mmCIF file of all heavy atoms in Angstrom:
data_model
loop_
_atom_site.group_PDB
_atom_site.id
_atom_site.type_symbol
_atom_site.label_atom_id
_atom_site.label_comp_id
_atom_site.label_asym_id
_atom_site.label_seq_id
_atom_site.Cartn_x
_atom_site.Cartn_y
_atom_site.Cartn_z
ATOM 1 N N SER A 515 -13.608 6.840 11.339
ATOM 2 C CA SER A 515 -12.231 6.880 11.871
ATOM 3 C C SER A 515 -11.687 5.464 12.066
ATOM 4 O O SER A 515 -10.500 5.194 11.753
ATOM 5 C CB SER A 515 -12.262 7.654 13.195
ATOM 6 O OG SER A 515 -11.248 7.236 14.032
ATOM 7 N N GLN A 516 -12.509 4.536 12.514
ATOM 8 C CA GLN A 516 -12.025 3.143 12.676
ATOM 9 C C GLN A 516 -11.640 2.525 11.335
ATOM 10 O O GLN A 516 -10.593 1.903 11.208
ATOM 11 C CB GLN A 516 -13.159 2.281 13.286
ATOM 12 C CG GLN A 516 -13.277 2.361 14.790
ATOM 13 C CD GLN A 516 -14.375 1.447 15.284
ATOM 14 O OE1 GLN A 516 -15.522 1.484 14.800
ATOM 15 N NE2 GLN A 516 -14.067 0.620 16.282
ATOM 16 N N VAL A 517 -12.498 2.729 10.330
ATOM 17 C CA VAL A 517 -12.215 2.148 9.017
ATOM 18 C C VAL A 517 -10.902 2.744 8.444
ATOM 19 O O VAL A 517 -10.064 2.018 7.926
ATOM 20 C CB VAL A 517 -13.405 2.392 8.045
ATOM 21 C CG1 VAL A 517 -12.953 2.441 6.592
ATOM 22 C CG2 VAL A 517 -14.419 1.274 8.205
ATOM 23 N N ILE A 518 -10.756 4.055 8.564
ATOM 24 C CA ILE A 518 -9.575 4.689 7.993
ATOM 25 C C ILE A 518 -8.315 4.234 8.744
ATOM 26 O O ILE A 518 -7.278 3.967 8.122
ATOM 27 C CB ILE A 518 -9.746 6.244 7.957
ATOM 28 C CG1 ILE A 518 -10.928 6.633 7.041
ATOM 29 C CG2 ILE A 518 -8.466 6.920 7.537
ATOM 30 C CD1 ILE A 518 -10.852 6.138 5.619
ATOM 31 N N GLU A 519 -8.397 4.090 10.055
ATOM 32 C CA GLU A 519 -7.248 3.571 10.797
ATOM 33 C C GLU A 519 -6.861 2.180 10.332
ATOM 34 O O GLU A 519 -5.715 1.847 10.192
ATOM 35 C CB GLU A 519 -7.592 3.518 12.300
ATOM 36 C CG GLU A 519 -7.373 4.818 13.019
ATOM 37 C CD GLU A 519 -7.455 4.660 14.511
ATOM 38 O OE1 GLU A 519 -7.578 3.511 15.022
ATOM 39 O OE2 GLU A 519 -7.408 5.684 15.174
ATOM 40 N N LYS A 520 -7.869 1.372 10.108
ATOM 41 C CA LYS A 520 -7.592 -0.020 9.705
ATOM 42 C C LYS A 520 -7.093 -0.127 8.282
ATOM 43 O O LYS A 520 -6.677 -1.182 7.816
ATOM 44 C CB LYS A 520 -8.881 -0.883 9.837
ATOM 45 C CG LYS A 520 -9.222 -1.160 11.290
ATOM 46 C CD LYS A 520 -10.534 -1.930 11.376
ATOM 47 C CE LYS A 520 -11.118 -1.873 12.773
ATOM 48 N NZ LYS A 520 -10.316 -2.511 13.814
ATOM 49 N N MET A 521 -7.155 0.991 7.545
ATOM 50 C CA MET A 521 -6.667 1.000 6.181
ATOM 51 C C MET A 521 -5.467 1.952 5.992
ATOM 52 O O MET A 521 -5.026 2.159 4.857
ATOM 53 C CB MET A 521 -7.809 1.393 5.213
ATOM 54 C CG MET A 521 -8.929 0.371 5.204
ATOM 55 S SD MET A 521 -10.332 0.889 4.185
ATOM 56 C CE MET A 521 -9.685 0.638 2.530
ATOM 57 N N THR A 522 -4.990 2.526 7.086
ATOM 58 C CA THR A 522 -3.836 3.442 6.973
ATOM 59 C C THR A 522 -2.819 3.174 8.072
ATOM 60 O O THR A 522 -1.898 2.383 7.905
ATOM 61 C CB THR A 522 -4.287 4.923 6.994
ATOM 62 O OG1 THR A 522 -5.017 5.165 8.216
ATOM 63 C CG2 THR A 522 -5.156 5.258 5.790
ATOM 64 N N ILE A 523 -3.037 3.793 9.243
ATOM 65 C CA ILE A 523 -1.996 3.740 10.274
ATOM 66 C C ILE A 523 -1.772 2.315 10.843
ATOM 67 O O ILE A 523 -0.613 1.938 11.117
ATOM 68 C CB ILE A 523 -2.249 4.775 11.403
ATOM 69 C CG1 ILE A 523 -1.065 4.860 12.372
ATOM 70 C CG2 ILE A 523 -3.537 4.478 12.169
ATOM 71 C CD1 ILE A 523 0.215 5.323 11.757
ATOM 72 N N MET A 524 -2.859 1.567 10.951
ATOM 73 C CA MET A 524 -2.671 0.206 11.537
ATOM 74 C C MET A 524 -1.833 -0.702 10.626
ATOM 75 O O MET A 524 -0.843 -1.273 11.100
ATOM 76 C CB MET A 524 -4.019 -0.432 11.882
ATOM 77 C CG MET A 524 -4.762 0.230 13.036
ATOM 78 S SD MET A 524 -3.765 0.427 14.520
ATOM 79 C CE MET A 524 -3.626 -1.276 15.011
ATOM 80 N N PRO A 525 -2.160 -0.847 9.350
ATOM 81 C CA PRO A 525 -1.263 -1.648 8.519
ATOM 82 C C PRO A 525 0.146 -1.081 8.440
ATOM 83 O O PRO A 525 1.126 -1.820 8.424
ATOM 84 C CB PRO A 525 -1.941 -1.655 7.121
ATOM 85 C CG PRO A 525 -3.003 -0.623 7.169
ATOM 86 C CD PRO A 525 -3.375 -0.441 8.598
ATOM 87 N N ALA A 526 0.248 0.249 8.428
ATOM 88 C CA ALA A 526 1.589 0.867 8.374
ATOM 89 C C ALA A 526 2.390 0.454 9.595
ATOM 90 O O ALA A 526 3.575 0.092 9.501
ATOM 91 C CB ALA A 526 1.477 2.383 8.277
#
Side-chain angles (χ1 to χ4, degrees):
S515 153
Q516 278 182 308
V517 153
I518 297 304
E519 276 191 6
K520 288 176 196 297
M521 295 175 74
T522 57
I523 188 62
M524 292 308 290

